[in-house]
Amino acid sequence: MSQPAALYLPPPAQQSPVGHDLAAQIEQLRNDVFGIAMSVSASNDRLDRLEQRVPQGVQTAEAGLATLRGEIEAWLENHLNAAVEHCMQRIISRTSSPTPHPAN
């Protein structure tokens, strides 16, 4: 996965309400990605334990686990980058669009 470009935000005292909202949403996205990473790590550990429990020479079980691991890796590669990019675009579009003012 490619690394996203760093986003500079001024210190909280200098941020506008929109900047504060953007910072909060980016922090939430970081927390979400951390949660995803922890879940992927736990899934990888489970797969490792399953592979250790499969008796040697049981080709169908070994092949099934290898297929499952490949499917998980492919899904992450194909969807995770796009999902993070989509979330970032939504955050940026929400915080950069002008606040509508009611007509008098």
Side-chain angles (χ1 to χ4, degrees):
M1 278 191 265
S2 62
Q3 294 292 330
L7 179 63
Y8 170 76
L9 295 173
Q14 298 174 359
Q15 288 182 5
S16 68
V18 171
H20 178 71
D21 184 48
L22 177 61
Q25 290 186 40
I26 288 173
E27 186 60 28
Q28 181 60 50
L29 184 59
R30 281 188 184 123
N31 292 336
D32 293 346
V33 172
F34 178 75
I36 292 166
M38 294 302 293
S39 295
V40 168
S41 178
S43 296
N44 189 48
D45 291 345
R46 279 190 204 94
L47 280 170
D48 288 344
R49 286 191 300 273
L50 277 172
E51 287 173 340
Q52 292 170 0
R53 295 172 69 190
V54 172
Q56 293 295 325
V58 180
Q59 295 297 323
T60 56
E62 290 173 354
L65 288 171
T67 299
L68 179 59
R69 186 180 296 273
E71 289 172 357
I72 292 169
E73 289 171 357
W75 187 92
L76 288 170
E77 186 175 322
N78 292 330
H79 294 90
L80 190 56
N81 280 340
V84 170
E85 183 65 29
H86 175 74
C87 289
M88 288 300 299
Q89 291 303 323
R90 287 181 55 204
I91 289 169
I92 291 168
S93 68
R94 241 186 288 158
T95 56
S96 65
S97 62
T99 306
H101 297 286
N104 289 337

